[in-house]
Amino acid sequence: MQQSDPHAFRRSRAVVPVLEVLDEAGSTNDVLTARAATLPDLSVIVTGNQTGGRGRLGRVWVAPPGRTLAISVLLRPDGLAPEAFGWFPLLAGLAMSRAVAPLVPGTVAVKWPNDVLIDGAKVSGTLSELLPDLSGLVIGAGVNLSQEADELPTDTSTSLVLAGAESPDADIVLSSYLTQLTALYREYLTAGGDAVRSALRDEVAEACHTLGRAVRVELPGGDTLLGTAVGIDADGRLIVESETGRTAVAAGDVTHLRY
């Protein structure tokens, strides 16, 4: 993954207007955010060695060099209010699930809102962050390519190699993800940010492994919600049915339960 190699990521460079491959980055989201003012919509920063990545809820995300991809994409959804940005993490998760599904024999699904699972184990996650001026956002995605089991952060994680992919090509993974994300992004914009009218909600729901399952949701304020995930509303929120009724969850750490 040398930035100086003119043949590296040839497929991916054809998909987006700007693609910069870094030998190393603290956080690709931070790099892209700092440069966003001078870059066009759908610009991309990628590295195989992210040393200070962040996950959801402030978790640290670090992986062995060369065994993973850290990808950040700049979105400037002209004409959409920031309130409509809530669907982008779900679309990113759907895009990644479609990118990796052809590479592995197992079942690929999305865990609300944006983790990608292979046979129930996490292979990818995303983190979306608003630009300071609210003109758009940066979507960061990490995907495990070739880590062995002892190199993964938890026993509920996996990599494409562990899931059965044979020598996954980073360029193929990246170009497929960018192709899928770009298509979903443009479809959403064409629908004016209406995920229901565009049928994107149905596509996300079909891929979402969380729906129909018993879940525990750790809410941002510290409360815990127990119930069954029964749907995704028009704003991308997870609908959880519990003993007290139905709750729309905009943000939270979801655990799938087995009863």
PDB file of all heavy atoms in Angstrom, residues 56-57 111-113 115 210 214-218 229 238 240 249 251-256:
ATOM      1  N   ARG A  56     -17.120   3.719  17.532  1.00  0.00           N
ATOM      2  CA  ARG A  56     -18.270   4.334  18.172  1.00  0.00           C
ATOM      3  C   ARG A  56     -18.080   4.381  19.676  1.00  0.00           C
ATOM      4  O   ARG A  56     -17.380   3.578  20.268  1.00  0.00           O
ATOM      5  CB  ARG A  56     -19.544   3.557  17.834  1.00  0.00           C
ATOM      6  CG  ARG A  56     -19.910   3.605  16.369  1.00  0.00           C
ATOM      7  CD  ARG A  56     -21.207   2.857  16.082  1.00  0.00           C
ATOM      8  NE  ARG A  56     -22.321   3.464  16.770  1.00  0.00           N
ATOM      9  CZ  ARG A  56     -22.956   2.927  17.792  1.00  0.00           C
ATOM     10  NH1 ARG A  56     -22.563   1.752  18.266  1.00  0.00           N
ATOM     11  NH2 ARG A  56     -23.966   3.544  18.370  1.00  0.00           N
ATOM     12  N   LEU A  57     -18.723   5.381  20.305  1.00  0.00           N
ATOM     13  CA  LEU A  57     -18.692   5.572  21.755  1.00  0.00           C
ATOM     14  C   LEU A  57     -17.275   5.769  22.277  1.00  0.00           C
ATOM     15  O   LEU A  57     -16.959   5.421  23.410  1.00  0.00           O
ATOM     16  CB  LEU A  57     -19.359   4.382  22.469  1.00  0.00           C
ATOM     17  CG  LEU A  57     -20.802   4.083  22.039  1.00  0.00           C
ATOM     18  CD1 LEU A  57     -21.341   2.879  22.783  1.00  0.00           C
ATOM     19  CD2 LEU A  57     -21.695   5.294  22.251  1.00  0.00           C
ATOM     20  N   LYS A 111     -25.444  -5.236  11.439  1.00  0.00           N
ATOM     21  CA  LYS A 111     -25.949  -5.010  12.790  1.00  0.00           C
ATOM     22  C   LYS A 111     -26.198  -3.513  12.937  1.00  0.00           C
ATOM     23  O   LYS A 111     -25.288  -2.717  12.689  1.00  0.00           O
ATOM     24  CB  LYS A 111     -24.919  -5.487  13.827  1.00  0.00           C
ATOM     25  CG  LYS A 111     -25.310  -5.201  15.271  1.00  0.00           C
ATOM     26  CD  LYS A 111     -24.177  -5.579  16.205  1.00  0.00           C
ATOM     27  CE  LYS A 111     -24.461  -5.124  17.626  1.00  0.00           C
ATOM     28  NZ  LYS A 111     -23.279  -5.313  18.508  1.00  0.00           N
ATOM     29  N   TRP A 112     -27.437  -3.160  13.305  1.00  0.00           N
ATOM     30  CA  TRP A 112     -27.782  -1.735  13.401  1.00  0.00           C
ATOM     31  C   TRP A 112     -26.836  -1.029  14.367  1.00  0.00           C
ATOM     32  O   TRP A 112     -26.530  -1.558  15.431  1.00  0.00           O
ATOM     33  CB  TRP A 112     -29.219  -1.580  13.905  1.00  0.00           C
ATOM     34  CG  TRP A 112     -29.688  -0.144  13.900  1.00  0.00           C
ATOM     35  CD1 TRP A 112     -30.348   0.494  12.898  1.00  0.00           C
ATOM     36  CD2 TRP A 112     -29.548   0.813  14.956  1.00  0.00           C
ATOM     37  NE1 TRP A 112     -30.615   1.789  13.253  1.00  0.00           N
ATOM     38  CE2 TRP A 112     -30.123   2.016  14.523  1.00  0.00           C
ATOM     39  CE3 TRP A 112     -28.954   0.780  16.230  1.00  0.00           C
ATOM     40  CZ2 TRP A 112     -30.153   3.164  15.294  1.00  0.00           C
ATOM     41  CZ3 TRP A 112     -28.964   1.909  17.013  1.00  0.00           C
ATOM     42  CH2 TRP A 112     -29.563   3.086  16.548  1.00  0.00           C
ATOM     43  N   PRO A 113     -26.349   0.171  14.001  1.00  0.00           N
ATOM     44  CA  PRO A 113     -26.650   0.857  12.749  1.00  0.00           C
ATOM     45  C   PRO A 113     -25.659   0.592  11.616  1.00  0.00           C
ATOM     46  O   PRO A 113     -25.972   0.856  10.468  1.00  0.00           O
ATOM     47  CB  PRO A 113     -26.588   2.323  13.151  1.00  0.00           C
ATOM     48  CG  PRO A 113     -25.519   2.352  14.226  1.00  0.00           C
ATOM     49  CD  PRO A 113     -25.669   1.048  14.974  1.00  0.00           C
ATOM     50  N   ASP A 115     -22.458  -1.874  11.832  1.00  0.00           N
ATOM     51  CA  ASP A 115     -21.465  -2.951  11.868  1.00  0.00           C
ATOM     52  C   ASP A 115     -21.829  -4.005  10.819  1.00  0.00           C
ATOM     53  O   ASP A 115     -23.001  -4.258  10.550  1.00  0.00           O
ATOM     54  CB  ASP A 115     -21.412  -3.621  13.237  1.00  0.00           C
ATOM     55  CG  ASP A 115     -20.755  -2.750  14.290  1.00  0.00           C
ATOM     56  OD1 ASP A 115     -20.109  -1.752  13.917  1.00  0.00           O
ATOM     57  OD2 ASP A 115     -20.901  -3.061  15.485  1.00  0.00           O
ATOM     58  N   THR A 210     -30.247  -7.269  12.999  1.00  0.00           N
ATOM     59  CA  THR A 210     -30.763  -6.890  14.309  1.00  0.00           C
ATOM     60  C   THR A 210     -32.275  -7.050  14.397  1.00  0.00           C
ATOM     61  O   THR A 210     -32.811  -7.379  15.466  1.00  0.00           O
ATOM     62  CB  THR A 210     -30.373  -5.423  14.619  1.00  0.00           C
ATOM     63  OG1 THR A 210     -28.956  -5.291  14.529  1.00  0.00           O
ATOM     64  CG2 THR A 210     -30.822  -4.997  16.002  1.00  0.00           C
ATOM     65  N   ALA A 214     -33.954 -10.279  20.035  1.00  0.00           N
ATOM     66  CA  ALA A 214     -33.917  -9.691  21.369  1.00  0.00           C
ATOM     67  C   ALA A 214     -32.620  -8.901  21.503  1.00  0.00           C
ATOM     68  O   ALA A 214     -31.551  -9.386  21.116  1.00  0.00           O
ATOM     69  CB  ALA A 214     -33.991 -10.777  22.437  1.00  0.00           C
ATOM     70  N   VAL A 215     -32.708  -7.688  22.022  1.00  0.00           N
ATOM     71  CA  VAL A 215     -31.534  -6.813  22.096  1.00  0.00           C
ATOM     72  C   VAL A 215     -31.445  -6.136  23.457  1.00  0.00           C
ATOM     73  O   VAL A 215     -32.448  -5.946  24.158  1.00  0.00           O
ATOM     74  CB  VAL A 215     -31.571  -5.722  20.998  1.00  0.00           C
ATOM     75  CG1 VAL A 215     -31.479  -6.345  19.612  1.00  0.00           C
ATOM     76  CG2 VAL A 215     -32.812  -4.849  21.120  1.00  0.00           C
ATOM     77  N   ARG A 216     -30.233  -5.773  23.791  1.00  0.00           N
ATOM     78  CA  ARG A 216     -29.969  -4.863  24.909  1.00  0.00           C
ATOM     79  C   ARG A 216     -29.303  -3.635  24.309  1.00  0.00           C
ATOM     80  O   ARG A 216     -28.312  -3.757  23.593  1.00  0.00           O
ATOM     81  CB  ARG A 216     -29.052  -5.496  25.958  1.00  0.00           C
ATOM     82  CG  ARG A 216     -28.756  -4.543  27.136  1.00  0.00           C
ATOM     83  CD  ARG A 216     -27.914  -5.193  28.221  1.00  0.00           C
ATOM     84  NE  ARG A 216     -26.561  -5.498  27.769  1.00  0.00           N
ATOM     85  CZ  ARG A 216     -26.095  -6.719  27.581  1.00  0.00           C
ATOM     86  NH1 ARG A 216     -26.866  -7.765  27.790  1.00  0.00           N
ATOM     87  NH2 ARG A 216     -24.861  -6.913  27.159  1.00  0.00           N
ATOM     88  N   VAL A 217     -29.856  -2.454  24.596  1.00  0.00           N
ATOM     89  CA  VAL A 217     -29.325  -1.220  24.045  1.00  0.00           C
ATOM     90  C   VAL A 217     -28.815  -0.346  25.186  1.00  0.00           C
ATOM     91  O   VAL A 217     -29.577   0.026  26.083  1.00  0.00           O
ATOM     92  CB  VAL A 217     -30.385  -0.443  23.236  1.00  0.00           C
ATOM     93  CG1 VAL A 217     -29.744   0.770  22.568  1.00  0.00           C
ATOM     94  CG2 VAL A 217     -31.046  -1.345  22.203  1.00  0.00           C
ATOM     95  N   GLU A 218     -27.504  -0.059  25.144  1.00  0.00           N
ATOM     96  CA  GLU A 218     -26.917   0.876  26.094  1.00  0.00           C
ATOM     97  C   GLU A 218     -27.084   2.272  25.506  1.00  0.00           C
ATOM     98  O   GLU A 218     -26.462   2.627  24.514  1.00  0.00           O
ATOM     99  CB  GLU A 218     -25.433   0.558  26.310  1.00  0.00           C
ATOM    100  CG  GLU A 218     -25.142  -0.870  26.748  1.00  0.00           C
ATOM    101  CD  GLU A 218     -25.690  -1.189  28.134  1.00  0.00           C
ATOM    102  OE1 GLU A 218     -25.889  -0.232  28.931  1.00  0.00           O
ATOM    103  OE2 GLU A 218     -25.930  -2.377  28.417  1.00  0.00           O
ATOM    104  N   ALA A 229     -36.038  -5.803  18.712  1.00  0.00           N
ATOM    105  CA  ALA A 229     -35.924  -4.848  17.613  1.00  0.00           C
ATOM    106  C   ALA A 229     -36.955  -5.217  16.553  1.00  0.00           C
ATOM    107  O   ALA A 229     -36.909  -6.314  15.991  1.00  0.00           O
ATOM    108  CB  ALA A 229     -34.520  -4.877  17.024  1.00  0.00           C
ATOM    109  N   LEU A 238     -33.753   2.805  15.279  1.00  0.00           N
ATOM    110  CA  LEU A 238     -34.151   1.432  15.576  1.00  0.00           C
ATOM    111  C   LEU A 238     -35.364   1.449  16.498  1.00  0.00           C
ATOM    112  O   LEU A 238     -35.358   2.114  17.539  1.00  0.00           O
ATOM    113  CB  LEU A 238     -32.996   0.695  16.248  1.00  0.00           C
ATOM    114  CG  LEU A 238     -33.225  -0.793  16.543  1.00  0.00           C
ATOM    115  CD1 LEU A 238     -33.280  -1.595  15.251  1.00  0.00           C
ATOM    116  CD2 LEU A 238     -32.106  -1.323  17.448  1.00  0.00           C
ATOM    117  N   VAL A 240     -37.519  -0.390  19.131  1.00  0.00           N
ATOM    118  CA  VAL A 240     -37.400  -1.486  20.092  1.00  0.00           C
ATOM    119  C   VAL A 240     -38.692  -1.586  20.888  1.00  0.00           C
ATOM    120  O   VAL A 240     -39.143  -0.608  21.495  1.00  0.00           O
ATOM    121  CB  VAL A 240     -36.206  -1.272  21.038  1.00  0.00           C
ATOM    122  CG1 VAL A 240     -36.124  -2.407  22.070  1.00  0.00           C
ATOM    123  CG2 VAL A 240     -34.905  -1.186  20.244  1.00  0.00           C
ATOM    124  N   VAL A 249     -34.794   4.424  18.893  1.00  0.00           N
ATOM    125  CA  VAL A 249     -33.417   4.625  19.348  1.00  0.00           C
ATOM    126  C   VAL A 249     -32.602   5.264  18.226  1.00  0.00           C
ATOM    127  O   VAL A 249     -32.420   4.668  17.166  1.00  0.00           O
ATOM    128  CB  VAL A 249     -32.779   3.291  19.770  1.00  0.00           C
ATOM    129  CG1 VAL A 249     -31.321   3.489  20.173  1.00  0.00           C
ATOM    130  CG2 VAL A 249     -33.573   2.654  20.903  1.00  0.00           C
ATOM    131  N   ALA A 251     -29.388   6.506  18.820  1.00  0.00           N
ATOM    132  CA  ALA A 251     -27.992   6.157  19.052  1.00  0.00           C
ATOM    133  C   ALA A 251     -27.925   5.238  20.260  1.00  0.00           C
ATOM    134  O   ALA A 251     -28.663   5.399  21.230  1.00  0.00           O
ATOM    135  CB  ALA A 251     -27.149   7.410  19.290  1.00  0.00           C
ATOM    136  N   GLY A 252     -27.020   4.282  20.193  1.00  0.00           N
ATOM    137  CA  GLY A 252     -26.859   3.368  21.309  1.00  0.00           C
ATOM    138  C   GLY A 252     -26.002   2.185  20.907  1.00  0.00           C
ATOM    139  O   GLY A 252     -25.774   1.917  19.722  1.00  0.00           O
ATOM    140  N   ASP A 253     -25.492   1.494  21.910  1.00  0.00           N
ATOM    141  CA  ASP A 253     -24.662   0.314  21.693  1.00  0.00           C
ATOM    142  C   ASP A 253     -25.546  -0.915  21.813  1.00  0.00           C
ATOM    143  O   ASP A 253     -26.061  -1.222  22.888  1.00  0.00           O
ATOM    144  CB  ASP A 253     -23.540   0.287  22.715  1.00  0.00           C
ATOM    145  CG  ASP A 253     -22.446  -0.691  22.347  1.00  0.00           C
ATOM    146  OD1 ASP A 253     -22.358  -1.045  21.164  1.00  0.00           O
ATOM    147  OD2 ASP A 253     -21.671  -1.095  23.229  1.00  0.00           O
ATOM    148  N   VAL A 254     -25.752  -1.613  20.707  1.00  0.00           N
ATOM    149  CA  VAL A 254     -26.709  -2.721  20.650  1.00  0.00           C
ATOM    150  C   VAL A 254     -25.982  -4.056  20.815  1.00  0.00           C
ATOM    151  O   VAL A 254     -24.980  -4.331  20.159  1.00  0.00           O
ATOM    152  CB  VAL A 254     -27.451  -2.718  19.299  1.00  0.00           C
ATOM    153  CG1 VAL A 254     -28.374  -3.931  19.193  1.00  0.00           C
ATOM    154  CG2 VAL A 254     -28.269  -1.432  19.156  1.00  0.00           C
ATOM    155  N   THR A 255     -26.537  -4.889  21.699  1.00  0.00           N
ATOM    156  CA  THR A 255     -26.060  -6.261  21.858  1.00  0.00           C
ATOM    157  C   THR A 255     -27.185  -7.212  21.499  1.00  0.00           C
ATOM    158  O   THR A 255     -28.304  -7.062  21.991  1.00  0.00           O
ATOM    159  CB  THR A 255     -25.617  -6.521  23.319  1.00  0.00           C
ATOM    160  OG1 THR A 255     -24.559  -5.623  23.672  1.00  0.00           O
ATOM    161  CG2 THR A 255     -25.118  -7.959  23.482  1.00  0.00           C
ATOM    162  N   HIS A 256     -26.890  -8.158  20.625  1.00  0.00           N
ATOM    163  CA  HIS A 256     -27.874  -9.189  20.295  1.00  0.00           C
ATOM    164  C   HIS A 256     -27.896 -10.225  21.413  1.00  0.00           C
ATOM    165  O   HIS A 256     -26.845 -10.741  21.803  1.00  0.00           O
ATOM    166  CB  HIS A 256     -27.508  -9.872  18.972  1.00  0.00           C
ATOM    167  CG  HIS A 256     -27.609  -8.960  17.797  1.00  0.00           C
ATOM    168  ND1 HIS A 256     -27.125  -9.297  16.541  1.00  0.00           N
ATOM    169  CD2 HIS A 256     -28.139  -7.719  17.654  1.00  0.00           C
ATOM    170  CE1 HIS A 256     -27.348  -8.309  15.695  1.00  0.00           C
ATOM    171  NE2 HIS A 256     -27.956  -7.343  16.342  1.00  0.00           N
TER     172      HIS A 256
END
